[in-house]
Amino acid sequence: MKEIIAMHGWAGDSNQWSNWEQIFKCYEWEWRNYERGYTALSPHIPKWNHNSNQVKLKRVAICHSLGSHLIDKQVLYSATHVVLINSFSRFIPSGKENRPIKLALNRMMDAINTPNEASMLRKFHVKAYKPNHIDADSIESNLINISDLGRVKLKKDLKLLIDSDSLPIGLNTLANVLIVNSEEDNILANQTKAKLAEDLRKHLKFLPKIINLQDEGHSITKIKNIKKIKHWLEFDHAKNMV
């Protein structure tokens, strides 16, 4: 049995997984989306369909960015495989890179539920997709449909991102972990990426695998790269002991 639960990141929604879901379902994967509910989409917390006693079971948690900290902890703990897409343990670097990042995050926090909110979110989405294109209509749709409860979650989750300083709670030490880094990511600092890899090596029984994508930004859009991740999930059998 092969099943996936996918968790989007801050200010995103489950629609970002439409291409992923289509590709994986063609190869007989069961796919379910976690929905935080920032916009008009109803919040949804999926659960695994199959129990851990089944032979050749793969339960995969795919998390984008802050999604690894937002996903249900029991879902994460029960995952046999975890894919961390441009994710982090500590978002704000501990070195001299941190001051401009802190200032930018605080400006984003202050903009929520003000006349500057739409402009801030629009800039964030464009920056997250660079160097790739994001459809302007989809951005505007998300900006218009943010709910009052969604704004509360935006603030709460941005604070979680700012305060993050360790691996997501619930990550099983026996999980097989794939780190996916985009080399043209305009959101994560290089020190942040290195910190995640370091923390995972200390935490996991098996060394994490790292894939670096040269032609992607913070959000993964290219079909060929989605298929690279699928290939790892289907054919990664060797485990390197720490």
Side-chain angles (χ1 to χ4, degrees):
M1 303 302 299
K2 305 181 297 183
E3 57 178 321
I4 290 172
I5 292 179
M7 178 69 227
H8 62 79
W10 186 80
D13 64 38
S14 54
N15 287 328
Q16 77 178 61
W17 302 112
S18 57
N19 286 338
W20 294 70
E21 183 174 0
Q22 183 178 0
I23 290 169
F24 275 86
K25 281 186 172 180
C26 286
Y27 292 86
E28 299 182 344
W29 284 81
E30 296 180 26
W31 184 287
R32 282 179 296 285
N33 291 319
Y34 198 117
E35 175 56 55
R36 183 68 173 135
Y38 299 121
T39 63
L41 295 176
S42 299
H44 178 62
I45 303 176
K47 302 296 182 183
W48 300 113
N49 274 347
H50 306 289
N51 65 54
S52 58
N53 294 324
Q54 291 179 288
V55 178
K56 296 183 178 179
L57 173 70
K58 279 190 178 179
R59 290 195 293 212
V60 182
I62 300 182
C63 304
H64 177 234
S65 194
L66 182 63
S68 62
H69 294 271
L70 295 175
I71 194 169
D72 181 83
K73 308 314 174 195
Q74 288 302 315
V75 168
L76 186 61
Y77 180 79
S78 300
T80 61
H81 294 68
V82 178
V83 179
L84 299 175
I85 301 171
N86 294 316
S87 299
F88 52 88
S89 48
R90 176 189 177 95
F91 184 87
I92 301 176
S94 57
K96 58 185 179 181
E97 288 182 81
N98 66 10
R99 178 170 172 76
I101 295 175
K102 283 182 179 179
L103 290 173
L105 291 171
N106 287 331
R107 285 196 297 268
M108 292 171 67
M109 181 75 80
D110 292 341
I112 298 173
N113 206 21
T114 75
N116 296 322
E117 178 186 88
S119 175
M120 177 273 290
L121 289 172
R122 188 180 296 107
K123 289 177 182 177
F124 169 75
H125 284 296
V126 170
K127 187 176 182 180
Y129 275 84
K130 281 185 177 180
N132 299 314
H133 171 73
I134 179 173
D135 181 67
D137 290 339
S138 66
I139 294 180
E140 296 307 317
S141 175
N142 283 344
L143 300 181
I144 292 170
N145 290 323
I146 291 177
S147 64
D148 290 338
L149 179 57
R151 289 186 174 90
V152 172
K153 291 180 179 179
L154 280 175
K155 280 207 164 189
K156 177 182 178 182
D157 296 348
L158 188 56
K159 186 177 188 305
L160 174 66
L161 180 148
I162 292 170
D163 293 342
S164 61
D165 63 359
S166 60
L167 291 172
I169 297 172
L171 181 61
N172 196 315
T173 58
L174 296 177
N176 298 287
V177 175
L178 175 66
I179 303 171
V180 181
N181 290 327
S182 297
E183 295 191 1
E184 297 187 57
D185 190 338
N186 288 290
I187 302 295
L188 291 185
N190 288 332
Q191 186 179 340
T192 299
K193 298 176 184 179
K195 175 65 173 169
L196 173 63
E198 176 187 345
D199 289 346
L200 286 171
R201 291 187 189 104
K202 293 177 180 177
H203 179 77
L204 298 172
K205 183 175 182 179
F206 307 116
L207 288 172
K209 168 73 175 179
I210 301 176
I211 294 178
N212 294 306
L213 304 177
Q214 298 180 350
D215 53 354
E216 291 278 18
H218 191 64
S219 297
I220 307 298
T221 63
K222 289 184 169 63
I223 299 300
K224 67 176 183 178
N225 290 326
I226 298 173
K227 289 183 175 180
K228 283 181 183 179
I229 294 167
K230 181 187 72 67
H231 184 273
W232 180 82
L233 288 171
E234 292 185 330
F235 299 104
D236 178 61
H237 304 295
K239 298 180 177 66
N240 299 318
M241 297 295 292
V242 174

